[in-house]
Structures are given as structure tokens and as C-alpha cells.
Amino acid sequence: MTEFEAVIGMEVHAELLTASKMFCGCPTTFGAAPNTQVCPVCLGLPGSLPVPNRRAVEFVARTALALHCEISPRSIFYRKNYYYPDLPKGYQVSQYGDDPIGRNGYIEIVVGGQTRRIGIRRCHLEEDTGKLFHVSPQTSEVDYNRSGVALMEIVSEPDLRSAEEAREYLVQLRAILTYLGVCDGKMEQGSLRCEPNISVRPKGSAAFGTKTELKNLNSFRAVSRGIEYEIERQVAVIRAGGQVTQETWRWDETRQVTAPMRSKEFEQEYRYFPDPDLVPMVFTPDWVQTQQESLPELPRQKQLRFQEQYGLPAYDAQILTETRALADYFEAAAARHADAKAVSNWVMGELLGRLNAASLDISESKVTPEGLAGLLDLVANGTISGKIAKDVFEEMFVSGKAPEAIVQEKGLTQISDEGALATTLDAIIAANPKEWEALKGGKEQLTKFFVGQVMRATKGRANPQLVNDLLKQRLAS
Amino acid sequence: MAELHTLTAHELADQMRRGAVSAREIAEATLARIAAVDERVKSFVTVTPEAALAQAREVDERRARGEALPPLAGIPIALKDNLCTRGVRTTCASKILDNWEPPYDATVVARLRAQHAVFVGKTNLDEFAMGSSTENSGLFVTHNPWDLSRVPGGSSGGSAAAVAAREATLALGSDTGGSIRQPAAFCGVVGLKPTYGRVSRYGLVAFASSLDQIGPMARDVTDAALLLQAISGSDPSDATSAPVAVPDYMQALRPEVKGLKLGVPREFFAQGVAPEVEAAVRAAVDRLVALGAEAEEVSMPHIDYAFPAFYIIAPAEASSNLARYDGVRYGLREPASDPTTMMERTRDAGFGAEVKQRIMLGTFTLSAGYYDAYYLKALKVRTLVKQDFDRAFERFDLLVAPVTPTVAFAIGERANDPLQMKLADVCTVPVNLAGGPAIAVPCGFHAGLPIGLQLMAKPFAEETLLRAAYTYEQATDWHLRAPAL
Ligand SMILES: [Zn+2]
């Protein structure tokens, strides 16, 4: 049977973290009452004129540089004309043609141990639309708070070959955006939206298949699942002798399937033309160089440094650098506790696990990097056992107390007093003569039983190494 | 003393300074004049007597306190009804705006308010400034004060008629392809289109954004300079306004044209220009030469293509600028069961025939497949036209031409001949494409109807325009004639 491969290109819209909108001074705060963040400009009132937000232009140029793009020396705003009630001017100010702010860049991703470069076709600036709500069959309402919010569009080349690669591309892109501080990357709130276009072709074929566009992917999970589903669907269509049609499909989160939205048989006529209300953006080489030099350390650079400096595996480095906040957290803890791998294990395991379960961001963690380092110190110097450490962590996570204080308060210090542990062990041996005989007879699995009984009797505080040693002594005698 | 409504702004300012007259008296005289003649002229869409009297009262209070007031304090000004005025309806003479009241002032309006000018009302225009006779107004037709059976020109026909009929001392118009100069010429007043970017467009309801420019209309050059001074200068709300310092235009008002080089482009005289118009304009050139200027014929080979290029570019921009009138947020709404049908019905009911025609034309030329052949080519022609001007201004300080090929035509005469109608702008359109300033000043009469002289200058050379126009005006008395109403 023919094997198929997927060809995926990503179109990502990132809402910029500017305090005001793209062409007016209105605030961009999320969740304000409808139509309270509007003015003549973003309502498109007659006579109003747009004035570009310099910060937004700078954000896009910096992102383009971080994506290894060329910066167009002269970049133009175009009008994209179409009618929709959420579009107050009857056109959207966007960019078009061969002079977006950035073009011809790439992102490096690592999937399955393979490093791949995914091409970036363009990186440009545009404005968001309002939001239309159908409140009843007779009534629709429009909220223009989002109208005119600065959006960055990043379009990749169709270089991605699997849902996993697409997800990793998005993870890396989001990391870059959050590192630069240009977007908060919150997919669930819609500040980062991705619309992949997907086609399949027989493996080895150079020609592209017919692509579909996928919308409504509001989480990384939805991105993976949606793309996987769409690839399988297309392969099934072709295997059944059918043809994929060029359409937009929508990911249905509750049913976990894709469903067709509208046919794209004829291209919509947008009548793009340069916006005469706006003057070209001119980027001088000096300005571009200044921006380039002031870029922060980016996720990929940080990953490589983490591997080098802390001796971490690539996998750890990748996860720890997904957000700047997480990377900073790790580095702060690693600066206080010498065993970087142990820090990495605890951050990736306990900390991220608990944060995800509680839907919290790293910035909301009550466990500080100092606290985590302190906890690991207590384990390393034998004050508490690894098992107790997990309980202490849980308490830290909930209350935010320092680990030393918790250990003190609850008397969790490890029992390393040989005499006390020997007494406990002997009592347990006396109470379980059958098991003891079996162990002596060579049933070594019972070692665990006796150590476990001691741990239970000491509420986990017994030094497990010491208990093991005592047990061996008694078996040998 | 002459009746107050007949005086110019600088004369009124003098009288007020001397304490001979109050702002209230001026406002009352102007409002009385409107009440007396506007039924026949129909310059105004909206008259705002209460607001005008309140502004005048404030001026008098400040005068009583001994405050030094700006030059336009207390001067009655009419505003073309495509300029946004806070709380005062702004119609663009279109049914689609349906008594819309802007929540904000256009920058020019705010600047005049800061000067304590007195706004007497909003004037009629061709719907969305698309037209050359004010017959395309969606509300009513304005009449030429010199002959009420004739058009005042357009699209700033209401402003031109108001100034000519002494219903306002000054007025603001907007000029996209001649909409200030052409009605100024038809009505025998002074009209100035500033350099693109000289005056903020913020609050001017857009027709064609790359061409639109607000400018003064007045009874003499001094008044035009006063009003230009008040509205000029860059504006942070308009990205296309130019960061160029504004000179003191009053300094330009001196009778001095010695050595001034005038180019007379022959293409401007070839396009159906009536003999009486050509004669009057050439006589004006001779007069300027007699006053010390030098004149020479020049050819601007691409001028003939300016008109068709304009009729690609302006409708293209308009088709996009007018997309916002969809019944969703303000203005007219024709109810329907779904948003798309509602938008279609609203636009069908709200726009007049001329506006619809231009929207369709612009929609067509911007469409994929036609864009290169029409819009892009028109932009290239625009560049060539601009180069013609640049070259001419290497040799000349000013270019001289008629404003219009004929004097004002009769109402209804060209209603069924859209090309003839549009050809009224054939001499004014080129400089809009090039971006420089131009002025229309009265230079004669034919059969009792005014003829206009057009002077064009390179970008930001308004001072040269004003100086030459002022010199000519001081040597003639065309501007002193008034229509009998
Ligand atoms: Zn706004």
C-alpha cells in the first residue's frame, strides 16, 4: 500500500503586547465590557485616520530578526477589502505582496533527535477585527474592543511533515514570542492563534496535494489532535479513490473531529491596494542593527547553553526553555543547588506536574526557586528522604512555606539513629516470624517488605539506606 | 459704515480691535444675511445660530477682559459638510449618513475653535464631494449667487456660494480634483488648495485619501491667507500630514512680482477652454508681466493623461473609503433578515447614482486581473504627471492656467452628460495628482459670470502663490464685485 506523508504550513496570528491598539490610543486589556475600548479611529467613524503604533512595528521587526528574516527596507500597509459587520471600515489594514516587515527566515526545531529548519515566508503586521455574536436568529451584536488590536502574522513555508513537527514548531515559535515579550502566547485566550494548511502526498512525491486549512485550534493538544485527524482523513479519502477538496475545516473540540466550514473553490476578491492614509515604514540598516544587537538570548541559544553549562540532556533543555519564565526559574534554582540534573528533574516532574494540574503559570508558583533549591539541599545532606521530600514539596506548593520550616514543624527529619532503628526493626522481625524465615531461606523479595514496614512504623522518616544495612547485618549473623 | 456682512475678515478684525463693532453684531448680521438670502441660494445644509451667538458672546467677553485674541476670533466661518463637527450633524450631503452627529471635531475645526472663530453652519456639497456642480447633493441643489439658474460649481459649491453671497465671511472647502478652486471660480471668490500634507485631513470625511486636501475659501487673498495660517501645520492624528514648519503667510502679502517666472502650460488651454476664459486668463498673465513678472509658454506632455488617471485613482480609493457605510454602526439602516442583505439594501438606498457609479468603477479597477491594467497604470501616469510639474518648477516659480474651461453652466444642463460635467475639472485635476498648492482668484467676467485664474506652485510654496495672487488682486478690482441678490 502507498505510504503517505503530510505537508504542513503554519499561519500564526499573535496578538502583540502593546498597551494600545495598532492605529489609535485605545487600551488592549482583555475582557473589558463590550465596546468600552473604542474611539473614532477603531470604530472606523467617517473622517478618522490611522496613526501607526511604533511599538507594534518594532515588535514585529524584532520578531522577524529573531526568526532570521530579512527586513524590508521599505514596508507598506495595504487595505484588504471585504464586508463583514465586525470590520468597521469595510477593510482591514494588513500587509500584502513582497514587502512585509520580515521575510525569508527560519525556525530550528528538534524532533526525534533530528534538527530541522522550517522556513518562514513572511512576518507582518495587521489589525484585528471586532467580534460578532449571534444572540438570537433576529439579533447579532458586535463588540469592537478587539477592533484595531495589533496582530502579527507569521507564515511558514510548507516544510512541516507531521503533527508532531507542527506542534514543536508552534512551541518554539511561542517560546520566541514570549522571550521577546511581544506576545503572551496564550492560545486558550486567543492571543496566539494558529491555522495550519495541510495536504498529503505519496511519500517521495515532489508535487503537493490539495490542501485544506484548519481552524479553531485553541490549545497545543488541539493542534496535535486536529492535524493528526486531518491527515488521517485526507489519506482515507485518497485511499478510497476520492479527492481532497480545497476547503476550510474546523476542529470540533468536543467531538474531537474536523468538520468542513466553507468551500474555497473561488478565491475571495480582497482588492488589496496600498493604504493611502499611511506612509511606508522605512527601516534603516542602522536601526535594524541596533534591534538585532538588543535581542535577548533566544530559546534555541538557551537550549544549547543549558546542555553545555548544566550538562542537561537535550530533552530537558528543550522543556526548560519553552518559556523564559521557566528557564529563569530553573537557572535561579540551579544557582543555589549544585546538582542541576536534580533541579531539572524536580522542575519538569513535580513542579510542572502540579502547576499543570492546577492550571497555574510558573509565575504563580508558591514554590520559589530558593525554596526548591533548599528542599533539594535537605535531601542531599540526608536531613530528609526523597520520599518525605515529595510530601514537603506538596506542603510548599500549597502554603508557600520554606522547606526547613515544614520539616521542623512536622518533625520530618530523617531518623539516622542506628539504635532507634534497630529496635524498630527487631520488633518487626519478631512480629513477622514466617516472613523472616522465608527471607533467611533466600526469598530476597522480602527485603522490601521489611524496609517498608520500618518506613511505615517511622512514618517514612527512617533513613532507608541505614535500614537496609541493619537488615543485612541481621541476615548475616 | 458698510453693512457688516459685506466686510472681509481682516476688515472685521480691524473694526473689532478698534472697538467699533462687537462679535455679536457681526454674528447677528451674518445670520440675518443667511436668513435673507439662503432660501434662494441654498448654501447651507445646517445653520447653527445658537452656537454661533454663543461663540460670539465668548469672544466679546474675552475682549471685555482685554484679552489679546487670535486673528480669526469672532469671524463668521462656514464649514463644508464633510468636516466633522462635534455634536453638529455632518451629512456629506448623503442620505446614508442620515443626520449622523460626530462625537469629535475635525482637526481644522478644533484649530478654528481654538482661535474663537464663529461657526455659522455647514454647507452643501456634491454627495461625498463627488461632483462639479453640487447637483449631486443627496439633499438639494445650491444656486450660483451671480445667477440663480446656474450651478455654483462643486463639490464645495455651498461654501463658495456662501462666501460669494456674503452669508459667511470665510469658508472651508475640500479639494480632491478641483473642488475648492472650481466653485471658487464659478462664484467669483478666492479658493486655495494647499499642498497635500499641509493641512490635517483628520475629521475630513474621505473621498480619495491621497488627493483630498482642506483649504480656505474667501473674498480676497488676505482672508484666504489668514484662514490658511489658522489651519496649517502637521497633526499627530494624520500620518500623511507633513512635518514642515508653517511660515507666516501674512508676510507673503506684498505687491511684489518682479522677476517672478510664470510658466504658461499650453496643454491647459487646449482642452475645450472657452475663448472668453482663455482671453481673461491671458490678460491676467499680461497684467502680471506688466507688474514685473516674466512669462513663457511651456509644454507638460503628460497633462492630457492626468484626467483619466484621476478617474481611476480617485474612484478606487473612494470604493474602499466608502465601504464603512454599511448600516451597522451609524447612519441609515435598511432592515433585513440577515446582515449581508441589510448592508446591501442600506447602501442601495443611501447612496446616490454618482457615488454608486464611482464605487463600481473603483471596485472594478482594483479587482485582481484589472489592477495592473488600470490602478497600477494610473499610479505610473501620476508619477509622470508629477515629473512634468517637477520639471516645470525647475524653470518657473508658478504655472498659470484657467481654473475651469467655461463659466458656470446652467442647473440641469450637464445632468445627462457625465463626461461634460467632469470636464469642468480638467484644468484643476493635474495639480492634485502632483500634490502641490494652487489658488483660484477672480480674473474677469463673461455675461455677468465670474472667470477664475489658477496659479500653481511647487509643494509648500504657498507663499509664492499668495504673493502673486495678492499682487494681481491689488492691481485689479474683480474681487470687489458682489452679486446682486
Ligand atoms: Zn481606538
Side-chain angles (χ1 to χ4, degrees):
Chain A
M1 199 157 60
T2 324
E3 257 206 81
F4 285 88
E5 72 169 358
V7 175
I8 305 161
M10 292 282 255
E11 202 178 294
V12 170
H13 284 96
E15 201 178 289
L16 296 178
L17 279 174
T18 49
S20 57
K21 293 185 180 181
M22 184 59 230
F23 295 114
C24 61
C26 289
T28 55
T29 333
F30 182 81
N35 297 312
T36 54
Q37 301 187 338
V38 292
C39 74
V41 176
C42 55
L43 281 176
L45 294 189
S48 66
L49 292 172
V51 177
N53 182 330
R54 279 176 174 275
R55 195 116 178 93
V57 174
E58 191 183 296
F59 276 6
V60 175
R62 287 171 69 78
T63 306
L65 288 170
L67 299 175
H68 311 98
C69 287
E70 307 159 21
I71 303 294
S72 299
R74 196 169 173 277
S75 185
I76 288 176
F77 286 111
Y78 285 76
R79 290 185 184 179
K80 180 180 181 179
N81 296 281
Y82 66 97
Y83 289 94
Y84 204 67
D86 70 4
L87 189 67
K89 298 188 295 294
Y91 59 83
Q92 179 194 23
V93 179
S94 181
Q95 295 200 271
Y96 175 74
D98 53 11
D99 53 12
I101 294 178
R103 61 190 175 203
N104 302 332
Y106 65 86
I107 288 185
E108 234 167 42
I109 60 167
V110 184
V111 173
Q114 296 272 10
T115 305
R116 290 199 59 214
R117 274 190 182 183
I118 308 304
I120 302 290
R121 185 177 295 171
R122 55 191 290 125
C123 176
H124 81 219
L125 186 51
E126 62 185 33
E127 58 175 344
D128 206 349
T129 63
K131 224 172 173 174
L132 186 65
F133 301 92
H134 298 288
V135 292
S136 80
Q138 289 80 35
T139 318
S140 299
E141 290 176 349
V142 204
D143 176 8
Y144 292 104
N145 282 353
R146 311 309 305 151
S147 170
V149 166
L151 281 184
M152 173 163 56
E153 183 177 312
I154 299 157
V155 183
S156 86
E157 297 292 348
D159 291 345
L160 299 157
R161 293 291 173 268
S162 67
E164 200 190 352
E165 285 191 1
R167 186 189 186 279
E168 188 52 30
Y169 167 85
L170 201 59
V171 167
Q172 289 309 314
L173 178 57
R174 178 176 178 263
I176 292 168
L177 299 180
T178 52
Y179 272 51
L180 293 170
V182 301
C183 174
D184 65 17
K186 290 178 182 162
M187 293 191 74
E188 286 77 4
Q189 283 188 7
S191 53
L192 188 71
R193 320 198 262 266
C194 103
E195 284 158 20
N197 54 71
I198 303 156
S199 64
V200 296
R201 63 183 176 192
K203 221 169 187 150
S205 154
F208 292 119
T210 305
K211 65 184 177 189
T212 58
E213 203 177 288
L214 196 53
K215 286 190 191 285
N216 200 40
L217 302 171
N218 298 326
S219 64
F220 282 102
R221 221 169 102 95
V223 170
S224 303
R225 294 262 177 107
I227 294 176
E228 261 163 32
Y229 188 95
E230 182 58 18
I231 294 170
E232 279 167 27
R233 187 191 68 81
Q234 291 189 13
V235 170
V237 166
I238 295 168
R239 289 221 164 108
Q243 273 186 327
V244 174
T245 45
Q246 190 168 335
E247 287 170 319
T248 299
W249 287 64
R250 188 176 184 283
W251 174 244
D252 186 330
E253 187 64 49
T254 39
R255 291 168 53 222
Q256 296 280 300
V257 295
T258 58
M261 271 174 81
R262 58 169 185 255
S263 164
K264 261 209 166 177
E265 272 167 37
F266 50 92
E267 198 72 15
Q268 178 138 15
E269 174 66 79
Y270 288 122
R271 292 179 286 122
Y272 284 100
F273 77 108
D275 191 329
D277 286 331
L278 292 159
V279 293
M281 295 172 272
V282 175
F283 302 101
T284 64
D286 278 359
W287 188 86
V288 171
Q289 201 189 333
T290 310
Q291 294 301 322
Q292 179 86 61
E293 283 163 3
S294 67
L295 290 179
E297 185 185 35
L298 292 164
R300 186 74 185 127
Q301 295 162 276
K302 215 184 263 284
Q303 277 166 31
L304 297 172
R305 181 169 65 79
F306 275 21
Q307 288 175 243
E308 170 92 24
Q309 182 179 339
Y310 300 107
L312 295 179
Y315 177 78
D316 289 36
Q318 217 171 318
I319 300 228
L320 292 174
T321 54
E322 272 179 19
T323 67
R324 190 147 104 182
L326 184 62
D328 288 349
Y329 186 102
F330 165 79
E331 289 210 273
R336 288 174 172 80
H337 182 78
D339 185 353
K341 179 58 185 156
V343 175
S344 168
N345 289 345
W346 274 79
V347 170
M348 287 169 35
E350 301 300 316
L351 182 61
L352 286 184
R354 282 297 277 122
L355 287 171
N356 287 343
S359 295
L360 291 173
D361 189 77
I362 184 77
S363 62
E364 297 163 302
S365 170
K366 285 187 181 168
V367 181
T368 60
E370 297 77 16
L372 182 65
L375 179 67
L376 297 186
D377 285 347
L378 292 178
V379 178
N381 66 25
T383 308
I384 56 172
S385 67
K387 190 169 155 44
I388 291 288
K390 297 202 172 171
D391 298 336
V392 176
F393 177 86
E394 180 58 34
E395 172 71 25
M396 289 165 75
F397 190 85
V398 174
S399 71
K401 280 186 191 156
E404 298 80 1
I406 296 167
V407 167
Q408 199 83 61
E409 263 172 40
K410 304 209 163 176
L412 296 174
T413 318
Q414 187 158 268
I415 303 169
S416 300
D417 174 348
E418 222 178 298
L421 285 181
T423 312
T424 309
L425 179 60
D426 290 341
I428 287 165
I429 290 172
N432 298 280
K434 250 193 265 166
E435 286 76 1
W436 180 243
E437 286 310 314
L439 177 60
K440 283 214 289 192
K443 220 174 173 191
E444 278 181 37
Q445 306 95 292
L446 283 168
T447 307
K448 254 192 193 158
F449 168 78
F450 283 99
V451 176
Q453 290 294 316
V454 175
M455 294 309 276
R456 185 184 294 173
T458 58
K459 296 200 173 81
R461 291 167 55 211
N463 182 331
Q465 194 53 52
L466 203 53
V467 178
N468 263 310
D469 291 349
L470 289 169
L471 202 57
K472 272 181 200 151
Q473 280 172 26
R474 273 152 186 73
L475 283 169
S477 64
Chain B
M1 193 169 77
E3 287 185 273
L4 289 175
H5 66 265
T6 67
L7 299 183
T8 61
H10 55 94
E11 287 165 347
L12 289 172
D14 278 347
Q15 301 257 14
M16 262 188 289
R17 215 170 296 123
R18 290 209 315 271
V21 64
S22 70
R24 200 197 72 201
E25 287 168 312
I26 296 170
E28 282 172 348
T30 305
L31 292 167
R33 175 68 175 174
I34 294 172
V37 304
D38 206 52
E39 230 168 83
R40 283 171 287 152
V41 182
K42 297 176 93 59
S43 304
F44 287 90
V45 170
T46 305
V47 182
T48 52
E50 293 83 6
L53 291 170
Q55 282 171 305
R57 194 179 315 120
E58 198 196 323
V59 171
D60 287 335
E61 282 164 11
R62 285 170 185 274
R63 289 171 67 234
R65 288 200 297 268
E67 280 182 36
L69 289 172
L72 293 182
I75 304 298
I77 299 184
L79 302 169
K80 189 177 180 178
D81 208 18
N82 60 354
L83 294 168
C84 287
T85 41
R86 187 186 186 114
V88 175
R89 72 172 182 156
T90 298
T91 68
C92 293
S94 179
K95 291 192 174 69
I96 208 156
L97 273 166
D98 191 32
N99 297 331
W100 175 62
E101 285 183 11
Y104 73 105
D105 274 336
T107 296
V108 289
V109 173
R111 286 184 177 174
L112 293 178
R113 240 188 245 291
Q115 285 233 355
H116 305 292
V118 170
F119 300 129
V120 291
K122 309 290 294 284
T123 60
N124 199 17
L125 63 151
D126 289 295
E127 184 177 2
F128 285 104
M130 295 179 189
S132 313
S133 69
T134 313
E135 290 169 289
N136 292 336
S137 167
L139 307 174
F140 51 81
V141 175
T142 297
H143 300 260
N144 191 315
W146 294 90
D147 176 348
L148 294 172
S149 72
R150 291 183 182 257
V151 302
S155 63
S156 311
S159 284
V163 172
R166 275 61 178 166
E167 296 175 283
T169 313
L170 297 169
L172 283 182
S174 68
D175 192 315
T176 306
S179 280
I180 287 175
R181 290 158 290 154
Q182 188 259 17
F186 276 10
C187 292
V189 300
V190 176
L192 191 153
K193 179 202 94 74
T195 307
Y196 185 80
R198 173 80 297 177
V199 177
S200 167
R201 294 185 295 115
Y202 189 76
L204 165 66
V205 180
F207 161 15
S209 316
S210 76
L211 299 158
D212 295 345
Q213 193 63 192
I214 301 165
M217 305 183 81
R219 289 216 306 280
D220 66 17
V221 175
T222 305
D223 274 13
L226 273 171
L227 187 47
L228 178 65
Q229 193 82 55
I231 61 173
S232 291
S234 72
D235 176 10
S237 299
D238 176 359
T240 64
S241 73
V244 177
V246 181
D248 181 355
Y249 291 125
M250 303 320 283
Q251 294 296 315
L253 301 178
R254 48 181 205 276
E256 173 63 71
V257 291
K258 209 169 181 67
L260 198 74
K261 294 192 178 64
L262 309 177
V264 184
R266 67 177 71 94
E267 288 79 7
F268 281 84
F269 291 84
Q271 317 197 31
V273 172
E276 61 273 11
V277 171
E278 176 162 357
V281 171
R282 292 207 186 273
V285 174
D286 293 345
R287 192 59 179 263
L288 282 164
V289 169
L291 292 164
E294 296 161 18
E296 197 183 315
E297 283 241 329
V298 60
S299 176
M300 297 173 71
H302 299 100
I303 290 304
D304 291 347
Y305 303 101
F307 187 71
F310 175 87
Y311 272 96
I312 302 287
I313 294 167
E317 293 182 10
S319 72
S320 175
N321 284 334
L322 271 64
R324 68 191 64 197
Y325 307 104
D326 57 8
V328 174
R329 292 158 301 278
Y330 46 81
L332 183 72
R333 175 186 289 182
E334 289 290 321
S337 56
D338 65 280
T340 307
T341 314
M342 183 277 284
M343 289 185 197
E344 283 171 5
R345 283 192 192 156
T346 299
R347 291 171 68 78
D348 188 37
F351 289 135
E354 181 68 27
V355 172
K356 283 179 190 167
Q357 190 200 77
R358 297 200 198 197
I359 290 174
M360 284 190 280
L361 200 65
T363 304
F364 174 76
T365 56
L366 285 179
S367 300
Y370 300 101
Y371 183 90
D372 290 1
Y374 292 101
Y375 187 71
L376 203 60
K377 188 167 274 182
L379 290 185
K380 286 176 184 165
V381 171
R382 183 177 189 170
T383 303
L384 294 173
V385 169
K386 196 174 175 308
Q387 286 168 358
D388 273 6
F389 274 96
D390 290 345
R391 261 194 292 277
F393 287 126
E394 283 169 17
R395 292 172 56 201
F396 302 105
D397 299 306
L398 293 173
L399 297 172
V400 189
V403 181
T404 61
T406 66
V407 293
F409 47 88
I411 290 170
E413 185 186 320
R414 298 187 184 180
N416 297 317
D417 192 346
L419 184 62
Q420 270 306 309
M421 178 73 93
K422 290 181 173 71
L423 282 172
D425 292 337
V426 73
C427 298
T428 47
V429 155
V431 78
N432 288 84
L433 292 180
I439 194 169
V441 289
C443 73
F445 281 83
H446 173 69
L449 293 165
I451 298 172
L453 167 73
Q454 180 174 215
L455 302 173
M456 294 167 269
K458 66 180 169 203
F460 300 102
E462 277 82 358
E463 290 168 285
T464 317
L465 274 189
L466 290 167
R467 179 155 60 89
Y470 179 78
T471 306
Y472 176 76
E473 183 185 82
Q474 292 305 300
T476 56
D477 63 359
W478 309 113
H479 65 291
L480 299 177
R481 300 198 192 178
L485 274 168

